[in-house]
Structures are given as C-alpha cells and as structure tokens.
Amino acid sequence: MIGVLVSGAGTNLQALLDAGLPVRAVASNKRDAPALDRVPHLPTAAFELAEFDSRAERDESMAQWLLSQSVELVVLAGYMHLLTPGFLAHFPERVINVHPSLLPDFPGAHAVADQLAAGVVEAGVTVHVVDEGVDTGPILVQERVPVREDDTVESLHARIKDVEHRLLPTAIEELLCAR
Ligand code: GRF
C-alpha cells in the first residue's frame, strides 16, 4: 500500500493514480494543498507544523497515521518539507522522492530556477530513495530534459513535470514488482 505526501498542485499524485498504483492514503503539511482535492475517495490528513511542538512530533504523528492506513511505501510527490530521522525509521528504504534536476546537481526547493540561472543546457528529473539529507539518497532513475534558449522557469518546469509524470509511476511500479 502506498502513502503519498504532497504540498502543492498534486500533478505527480495524479500521475500515480492514473497509473493505477495502489495509493491508499494522502497526507500533507498544508491543509489547503490543492493536491488533497484530487483524492476525495481516499483518506487524507494534514499535519501543519504550527500545530505541533516540533518537526519531530509532527513527523511522528504523520508516520503513525500512515501506518494506521496500512501504508508500507511512502512517495513524496511535491512534498516540500525535509523529513526527520524518526519518520524515515518507520519506513526504512521505503520513502521515494521525485526531484526536478539531475541530482546530485541542484538539490533544494528552487532547482528549476537554479538550473536556468546556472545556464545548464540539460536539466532533468531524478527519482531517488530518501535519506536524511536534502535530496540525497540512492538514485533509482534519472532522465535528461533539454533546456531551450527561451525557457522560463514555468516553461522548463512544465516539460520537467511531463517527464516526472512518466518516470515516477514507472519507478514505483518497478519497486513494487521487485518486492
Ligand atoms: C515537482 O516538480 C517535484 O519534482 C517537486 O515539486 C513539484 C511538485 O509538483 N518536488 P506537483 O505538486 O506534483 O504538481
């Protein structure tokens, strides 16, 4: 069973659903994340940092909720907070992230803008296992996305997302088959 963590629009969550993957629960750090509106048929929960004493407590509460929903594999689909070690310990080697660059280059929350600012000719997408670092952890699959001369952050991110929507579900399917 897959649990998905989201913070934003949820187009990667939608790609997982469209691929028919067994998504059983969706959690967010933002109660108003548009992604939550995509899953009226699934259990959802919001874990706002301001409602807890610490990130560790928030993450523990979120992990316990996911476990209560029988989640075994966690996919970060545009989840924009770093997870604490305590959360990861509940799902060892079973938290997967999609990131809009060719890691280890351009980690962090502004990867698309950073790649444009650096003038790279190829941006990309990485799907990787999450560890305690910022967008570190073993890489499962990567794909290059050529940068065009007239690209803006929006146009480049749109083409990157097209690749993410194919690469992420395929990587998750392969992981489930290998288990
Ligand atoms: C994606 O580009 C993902 O790589 C990044 O945030 C974006 C989330 O988009 N971490 P969405 O919410 O899935 O539409």
Side-chain angles (χ1 to χ4, degrees):
M1 300 293 186
I2 297 173
V4 181
L5 301 189
V6 295
S7 301
T11 62
N12 280 288
L13 166 62
Q14 189 66 52
L16 295 168
L17 296 168
D18 292 347
L21 285 161
V23 176
R24 289 293 177 267
V26 179
S28 179
N29 61 315
K30 293 168 118 186
R31 187 158 280 112
D32 61 353
L36 296 175
D37 297 335
R38 295 178 184 269
V39 284
H41 57 300
L42 290 178
T44 62
F47 298 85
E48 300 248 2
L49 191 51
E51 294 167 10
F52 295 86
D53 287 341
S54 67
R55 286 179 54 231
E57 280 188 28
R58 187 274 303 276
D59 283 9
E60 178 61 22
S61 178
M62 188 161 66
Q64 291 301 338
W65 182 77
L66 291 166
L67 291 167
S68 77
Q69 302 295 326
S70 304
V71 165
E72 300 159 307
L73 179 71
V74 178
V75 180
L76 311 189
Y79 182 71
M80 301 307 279
H81 273 184
L82 198 61
L83 290 166
T84 48
F87 181 96
L88 297 175
H90 284 295
F91 305 96
E93 310 286 310
R94 289 183 284 124
V95 182
I96 309 299
N97 183 40
V98 59
H99 181 79
S101 80
L102 296 170
L103 293 172
D105 295 338
F106 304 102
H110 309 291
V112 179
D114 291 348
Q115 288 169 100
L116 267 189
V120 297
V121 293
E122 282 181 325
V125 173
T126 302
V127 179
H128 67 99
V129 180
V130 174
D131 66 10
E132 293 170 17
V134 177
D135 299 320
T136 53
I139 291 171
L140 298 174
V141 60
Q142 291 186 305
E143 191 168 309
R144 295 173 188 283
V145 177
V147 178
R148 297 176 186 158
E149 260 181 31
D150 60 349
D151 258 332
T152 61
V153 172
E154 290 71 28
S155 66
L156 178 58
H157 202 176
R159 291 205 313 290
I160 284 174
K161 280 192 169 193
D162 286 345
V163 173
E164 290 182 338
H165 299 161
R166 176 167 43 78
L167 219 57
L168 179 62
T170 303
I172 300 302
E173 265 161 25
E174 285 175 9
L175 267 183
L176 292 180
C177 287
R179 281 152 61 90

